[in-house]
């Protein structure tokens, strides 16, 4: 619980979207908890208690507001986490809430004991990992019940409850109404062939800049950017290790400070994974004000060099992005996209989506390792030089063997060192991969042609010195520089 603070109450009273997801307000007179942007009648300050997470508010006995819908709040920014381990654990719990993974398994992936994880997590968020996971599942279920026509049983399974009875019991206990009663409260009928949800962000958000970046690097057959939307194919594994194929479509709802996400029915069993990857791809966890507070000094060099709301494009498929980065070494963005498209057409898996341009999923690391004979014999005829083909093969081995952590690692600098131990991976490639795949906010590409072009006539060494003032947000500084070109 956060001490009652007039500053937080003022943000709540102003409906300031910059604070959305950064705290929640428990209202004793109604027994509900709200987002700071809730448009319901303003409660008196003496009836308000402030919480850092939705899970903490629920454990205090509050139910989620049906008007502002706390399940739609943006996720926690890394700047808000007092302990990096706790932040990574929270993200992992959100991503895997439907997989049935135990806290011990998640602690193992984080490199600590479950006892240590429980201790530091509870100290930081005032709820246990199990309680946080429970809230993740309940809020996802509430979102699905409100915005889709999935059956209650389907909702229970997608959200990771394992059984309908367990879901009903916990929902009633926590929210004081049944799932079917919530459906009746939200009486609007929906008849969708696919699932459409919304994911919120903290404004402002430069959607056009993000789409422009992704469109310039789109791989034919995998990604399409048109009609102000981003679409792509998806290949994931469900909790049983079975492959799942489908597609997603992402649009922008600027008035709601949110992205609309449409997911094919085939991806229901991996929906939490899909939503987590979309949040990563579009950098929805970002706190733009915290970033701009540091980077606004860039405008002393040249006006409008840094703009409030710039995001770092992440990735949906880490292996796909890593291969694309290697292909892009010392050639144009367009040429790299051409090479990636040839690999997809030759070794990707064809799928049916019903959308023009979405025809394949990118080959997996296992697909690359399964090719018989020297890798250059396979990729060479596609135009990939032997050195880069061998680098791609070694990266596939690193993915399969788990030698490098590409999924929000605790020490990105150490992972970058391991990357650079692979022949063909230099500083530029390692920094670029860390920025887009590992969510490292402090990567800087001083030798990048675009960065040099944005800041003439500085040398790479001088750029590195200047960028010291931009820590720990040099990834955002890099994107700001690219956006000026």
């Amino acid at each position: 619980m956060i001490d009652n603070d007039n500053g937080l109450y003022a943000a709540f009273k102003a409906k300031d979207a910059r604070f959305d997801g950064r705290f929640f307000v428990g209202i004793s007179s109604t027994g509900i908890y709200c987002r700071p942007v809730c448009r319901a009648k303003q409660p008196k300050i003496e009836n308000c208690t402030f919480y850092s997470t939705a899970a903490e508010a629920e454990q205090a006995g509050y139910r989620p507001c049906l008007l502002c819908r706390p399940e739609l709040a943006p996720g926690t920014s890394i700047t808000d986490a007092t302990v990096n381990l706790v932040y990574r654990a929270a993200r992992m719990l959100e991503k895997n809430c439907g997989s049935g993974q135990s806290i011990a398994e998640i602690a193992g992936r984080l490199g600590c004991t479950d006892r240590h994880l429980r201790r530091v997590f509870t100290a930081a968020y005032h709820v246990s990992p199990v309680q946080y996971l429970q809230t993740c599942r309940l809020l996802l279920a509430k979102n699905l019940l409100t915005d889709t026509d999935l059956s209650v049983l389907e909702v229970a399974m997608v959200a990771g409850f394992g059984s309908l009875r367990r879901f009903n019991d916990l929902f009633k206990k926590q929210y004081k109404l049944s799932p079917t009663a919530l459906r009746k409260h939200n009486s609007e009928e929906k008849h969708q062939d696919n699932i459409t949800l919304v994911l919120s962000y903290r404004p402002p958000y430069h959607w056009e800049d993000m789409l422009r970046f992704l469109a310039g690097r789109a791989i034919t057959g995998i990604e399409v950017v048109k009609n102000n939307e981003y679409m792509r194919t998806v290949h994931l594994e469900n909790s049983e290790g079975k492959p799942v194929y489908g597609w997603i479509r992402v649009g922008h709802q600027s008035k709601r400070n949110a992205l609309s996400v449409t997911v094919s029915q085939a991806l229901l069993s991996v929906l939490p994974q899909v939503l987590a990857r979309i949040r990563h791809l579009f950098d929805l966890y970002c706190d733009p004000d915290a970033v701009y507070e540091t980077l606004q000094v860039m405008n002393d060099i040249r006006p409008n060099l840094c703009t409030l709301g710039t995001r770092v494009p992440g990735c949906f498929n880490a292996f796909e992005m890593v291969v694309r980065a290697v292909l892009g070494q010392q050639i144009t963005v367009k040429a790299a996209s051409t090479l990636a498209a040839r690999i997809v057409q030759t070794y990707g898996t064809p799928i049916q989506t019903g959308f023009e341009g979405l025809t394949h999923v990118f080959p997996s690391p296992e697909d690359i390792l399964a090719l018989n004979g020297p890798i250059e014999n396979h990729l060479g005829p596609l135009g990939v030089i032997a050195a880069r083909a061998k680098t791609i093969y070694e990266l596939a081995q690193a993915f399969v063997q788990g030698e490098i952590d590409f999924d929000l690692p605790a020490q990105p600098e150490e992972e970058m060192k391991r990357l650079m131990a692979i022949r063909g991976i230099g500083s530029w490639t390692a920094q670029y991969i860390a920025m887009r795949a590992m969510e490292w906010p402090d990567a800087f590409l001083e030798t990048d042609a675009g960065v040099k072009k944005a800041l003439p006539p500085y040398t790479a060494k001088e750029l590195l010195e200047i960028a010291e003032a931009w820590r720990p947000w040099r990834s955002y500084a890099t994107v700001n520089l690219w956006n000026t070109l």
Side-chain angles (χ1 to χ4, degrees):
M1 185 177 68
I2 306 171
D3 290 337
N4 282 350
D5 184 309
N6 286 330
L8 294 183
Y9 185 77
F12 181 33
K13 189 174 182 179
K15 314 305 175 192
D16 194 331
R18 295 174 301 171
F19 291 89
D20 194 12
R22 303 206 48 188
F23 67 88
F24 296 86
V25 188
I27 303 165
S28 59
S29 56
T30 61
I32 66 171
Y33 72 96
C34 297
R35 296 158 67 183
V37 295
C38 187
R39 295 291 173 180
K41 183 180 178 181
Q42 185 72 22
K44 297 178 181 179
I45 188 171
E46 56 265 28
N47 293 332
C48 296
T49 306
F50 300 95
Y51 299 95
S52 56
T53 66
E56 190 181 358
E58 292 199 0
Q59 289 304 313
Y62 291 99
R63 306 183 307 278
C65 176
L66 297 180
L67 180 63
C68 68
R69 299 180 58 192
E71 71 270 17
L72 301 183
T76 307
S77 165
I78 194 169
T79 58
D80 301 322
T82 55
V83 181
N84 184 260
L85 171 65
V86 175
Y87 171 75
R88 292 170 63 233
R91 290 281 297 275
M92 201 170 288
L93 289 168
E94 293 168 17
K95 182 178 180 179
N96 296 291
C97 71
S99 68
Q101 274 194 332
S102 69
I103 300 301
E105 289 174 313
I106 290 176
R109 289 184 59 190
L110 292 168
C112 66
T113 65
D114 55 343
R115 180 181 179 184
H116 177 68
L117 178 60
R118 288 195 300 270
R119 182 174 60 80
V120 297
F121 198 99
T122 304
Y125 286 162
H126 313 295
V127 291
S128 70
V130 170
Q131 291 168 331
Y132 191 92
L133 178 62
Q134 173 182 289
T135 297
C136 289
R137 288 172 173 163
L138 284 169
L139 291 180
L140 175 59
K142 182 177 178 295
N143 199 355
L144 293 170
L145 288 167
T146 305
D147 286 346
T148 76
D149 58 1
L150 292 175
S151 70
V152 175
L153 176 60
E154 286 176 311
V155 169
M157 296 302 105
V158 170
F161 285 96
S163 76
L164 181 59
R165 180 178 178 180
R166 183 164 177 247
F167 171 51
N168 280 324
D169 290 346
L170 191 58
F171 202 93
K172 290 176 183 176
K173 176 184 176 183
Q174 206 67 20
Y175 295 161
K176 305 299 186 287
L177 77 167
S178 69
T180 51
L182 177 65
R183 272 265 164 85
K184 291 177 182 177
H185 177 88
N186 189 66
S187 57
E188 180 185 350
E189 290 191 15
K190 309 166 192 67
H191 299 287
Q192 303 170 327
D193 293 331
N194 305 297
I195 305 303
T196 300
L197 302 170
V198 297
L199 299 178
S200 299
Y201 58 76
R202 297 177 184 87
Y205 192 105
H206 300 314
W207 175 249
E208 291 76 16
D209 286 341
M210 177 65 77
L211 276 195
R212 191 180 305 115
F213 183 95
L214 296 176
R217 292 155 181 80
I219 301 173
T220 302
I222 302 288
E223 302 168 288
V224 171
V225 177
K226 67 178 181 180
N227 300 328
N228 206 36
E229 292 182 323
Y230 171 84
M231 296 187 293
R232 68 163 292 125
T233 58
V234 174
H235 170 213
L236 294 170
E237 290 186 353
N238 63 21
S239 58
E240 298 174 353
K242 296 179 180 178
V244 179
Y245 301 93
W247 55 266
I248 60 170
R249 183 175 68 234
V250 184
H252 189 213
Q253 297 185 6
S254 57
K255 292 182 179 179
R256 296 182 66 179
N257 295 325
L259 303 186
S260 62
V261 178
T262 303
V263 179
S264 61
Q265 284 273 359
L267 297 176
L268 269 180
S269 63
V270 291
L271 184 62
Q273 282 191 64
V274 171
L275 297 179
R277 288 172 183 245
I278 292 172
R279 287 187 177 101
H280 172 200
L281 173 60
F282 291 97
D283 197 14
L284 299 189
Y285 291 100
C286 174
D287 181 346
D289 290 289
V291 174
Y292 188 71
E293 185 178 351
T294 298
L295 296 188
Q296 61 185 328
V297 298
M298 295 176 68
N299 296 330
D300 295 338
I301 301 174
R302 191 169 75 241
N304 300 318
L305 202 57
C306 173
T307 58
L308 175 64
T310 297
R311 297 314 208 265
V312 172
C315 70
F316 191 91
N317 179 322
F319 182 65
E320 173 189 307
M321 197 287 299
V322 166
V323 171
R324 179 70 177 64
V326 171
L327 294 175
Q329 293 171 340
Q330 300 177 343
I331 62 174
T332 65
V333 171
K334 185 177 180 180
S337 296
T338 299
L339 292 178
R342 291 174 185 169
I343 292 175
V344 167
Q345 289 297 318
T346 307
Y347 299 111
T349 302
I351 67 169
Q352 297 293 325
T353 65
F355 292 103
E356 183 181 357
L358 297 183
T359 59
H360 292 72
V361 295
F362 199 81
S364 67
E366 291 82 2
D367 292 334
I368 297 299
L369 296 183
L371 297 175
N372 294 320
I375 188 65
E376 55 268 31
N377 292 350
H378 296 278
L379 301 187
L382 305 180
V384 182
I385 64 173
R388 291 198 185 107
K390 291 176 181 176
T391 300
I392 290 171
Y393 188 84
E394 287 195 48
L395 283 166
Q397 287 181 315
F399 269 88
V400 171
Q401 297 170 7
E403 296 171 348
I404 299 174
D405 185 358
F406 292 91
D407 188 13
L408 197 64
Q411 297 180 308
E413 298 100 327
E414 294 302 314
E415 305 305 327
M416 282 188 274
K417 289 178 183 177
R418 295 186 182 98
L419 271 171
M420 287 189 286
I422 296 174
R423 187 185 296 272
I425 301 289
S427 176
W428 181 92
T429 308
Q431 293 279 345
Y432 185 78
I433 291 171
M435 178 174 71
R436 295 198 59 199
M438 300 178 186
E439 302 185 58
W440 178 227
D442 201 32
F444 189 64
L445 287 65
E446 73 277 6
T447 61
D448 180 77
V451 170
K452 289 182 176 180
K453 187 176 181 180
L455 281 178
Y458 297 109
T459 65
K461 183 178 179 181
E462 289 170 335
L463 287 171
L464 202 56
E465 292 174 354
I466 292 170
E468 281 297 308
W470 304 339
R471 289 182 180 273
W473 307 115
R474 294 185 301 171
S475 294
Y476 291 87
T478 300
V479 176
N480 270 289
L481 295 174
W482 286 340
N483 286 346
T484 65
L485 300 178

